[in-house]
Each structure stands twice: as C-alpha cells, then as structure tokens.
Amino acid sequence: ISTYPEDMEKEWSDVAAFNNLVVVVGESTWQVMQARKKLNIEWDLNAELTKEIEILEKSAGMEDATGLESTEIHTRLLTEVGPRKAEVVRKDGDPEKAFKNAAKVIERSYTCPFLAHNCMEPMNFFADVRKDKAELFGPIQTPEFAENSISKRLGLAPEQIDIQMSRMGGGFGRRLYGHFLIEAAVISQK
C-alpha cells in the first residue's frame, strides 16, 4: 500500500517517511501476530530522508543524528554558540541604576538537560472508511490539515470526513504530522 500517491499534492503536515506499507489484517490479535511472523521483509533506506539526516548531521558537526538527542552534544553546541547580546525592545525605568544602588545583587544561571520531544504512546489512529464517509478517531495536533489530506487521498469531500480527537499522552510536536492517520485511513479503505 502506498500512503501518498506520487501525484498527490501534500499538506505541510504530510510526511513520506513511511510511504510504502505492509499491512497484516485479521480476525484476532493472535491471527495477526502469527501471520506477521511469516513475513520476511527487507526495507531499503529512504534516500530523501537519509540525505536530510546527513545534512542535519553535518550542520550540527556530528557523525550520527542520534547525537541531537544527547545532553552532552546539546550543551557543547550551546557553549560553542556562546552568549549573545540581547536586543532591547522595551525598557521601563533605569535598571542599571537599580543594580548599582542595590544592597545586594544575586545572579544565577539555570540549565536543564536536553529532552527529546518523543510521544508517550505509539503513533495510532482508528479509521472506518466507507464509500461515502470516513470516521477517524485518535490523537493528532493538526486535524484540519489531516482532514485536507484524507480528503485528497481518499477522494472524499471534507464534509464526508469526521475526525474525532482523543487525549494524548503528550504530542510534543510529533503529532503535527499526520502520516499515521493517512495510513489508518488507507488500510481501512482497502
């Protein structure tokens, strides 16, 4: 199954990191797990995505992009950039005079480790696609863009699409992109 056809005009929130899918569907979890064990799949690297990662690695001065989620690398990069002079956009009173005349000035810097913006649960969506409508339910941060993508991908009018948002265990920006919703819809349609 192809998530996005070659000629489909994508929304900014559509990513083709996982454009080709292998899907196992069955009557029970056990049946699906047993069928999955029989598959022997080999994947080729996504050349476009690999190129983006290599550019990212070079710009960050590292050999492996996983280092971008490292407190050590994050701290080193911040140190290399160093402090920058801030641009004053508003100034009320005379802070220099207040500091000069203060009985005591306490100055501190605070840091925290770099935290990756990973979701707390797997990417998931429920989809029930029929000839005349599509009902989708799950966690996403961009339902309007997802509706546009579903409309284009399935050939349904936006009025025929109902996206219900569930609670998230944390989206942290990862659920801005809706490929997992498209995948669920395409699988249901098949």
Side-chain angles (χ1 to χ4, degrees):
I1 297 176
S2 178
T3 308
Y4 302 102
E6 296 271 333
D7 60 343
M8 181 179 155
E9 184 181 332
K10 296 180 185 140
E11 296 289 331
W12 69 267
S13 58
D14 293 325
V15 295
F18 308 101
N19 197 40
N20 297 312
L21 309 175
V22 174
V23 180
V24 178
V25 179
E27 297 291 323
S28 69
T29 304
W30 178 255
Q31 186 183 52
V32 169
M33 287 170 40
Q34 296 311 306
R36 169 58 187 96
K37 287 179 183 178
K38 294 180 184 205
L39 294 177
N40 184 14
I41 301 168
E42 290 186 31
W43 298 96
D44 289 330
L45 292 175
N46 180 329
E48 183 181 315
L49 188 60
T50 302
K51 183 178 177 182
E52 287 178 27
I53 290 171
E54 288 172 356
I55 291 168
L56 194 59
E57 289 168 348
K58 284 181 184 174
S59 69
M62 59 187 59
E63 295 177 23
D64 183 3
T66 57
L68 293 174
E69 295 188 0
S70 157
T71 298
E72 181 183 325
I73 300 288
H74 179 70
T75 303
R76 181 179 57 79
L77 291 173
L78 285 175
T79 304
E80 287 173 6
V81 169
R84 296 181 184 169
K85 188 158 177 67
E87 179 186 337
V88 177
V89 291
R90 177 181 163 178
K91 185 175 177 181
D92 296 332
D94 189 349
E96 290 83 9
K97 182 179 177 183
F99 280 118
K100 184 179 176 185
N101 296 331
K104 184 177 185 180
V105 175
I106 299 171
E107 186 176 322
R108 298 287 185 267
S109 295
Y110 296 92
T111 62
C112 66
F114 178 78
L115 301 173
H117 288 177
N118 294 334
C119 295
M120 297 171 76
E121 72 278 338
M123 307 312 279
N124 59 82
F125 233 84
F126 167 82
D128 182 16
V129 177
R130 311 285 171 112
K131 281 184 180 179
D132 59 341
K133 68 178 181 176
E135 294 178 303
L136 300 114
F137 185 84
I140 191 163
Q141 291 172 263
T142 53
E144 182 180 356
F145 293 109
E147 183 179 72
N148 292 338
S149 296
I150 292 290
S151 176
K152 291 175 194 171
R153 180 59 178 90
L154 302 181
L156 295 172
E159 304 81 52
Q160 296 173 290
I161 300 166
D162 181 22
I163 298 175
Q164 297 292 319
M165 293 174 54
S166 64
R167 292 180 182 241
M168 290 184 229
F172 309 114
R174 175 57 183 94
R175 293 191 188 274
L176 290 172
Y177 305 101
H179 64 86
F180 54 97
L181 182 137
I182 303 288
E183 290 170 7
V186 170
I187 292 166
S188 178
Q189 186 182 47
K190 289 281 182 191

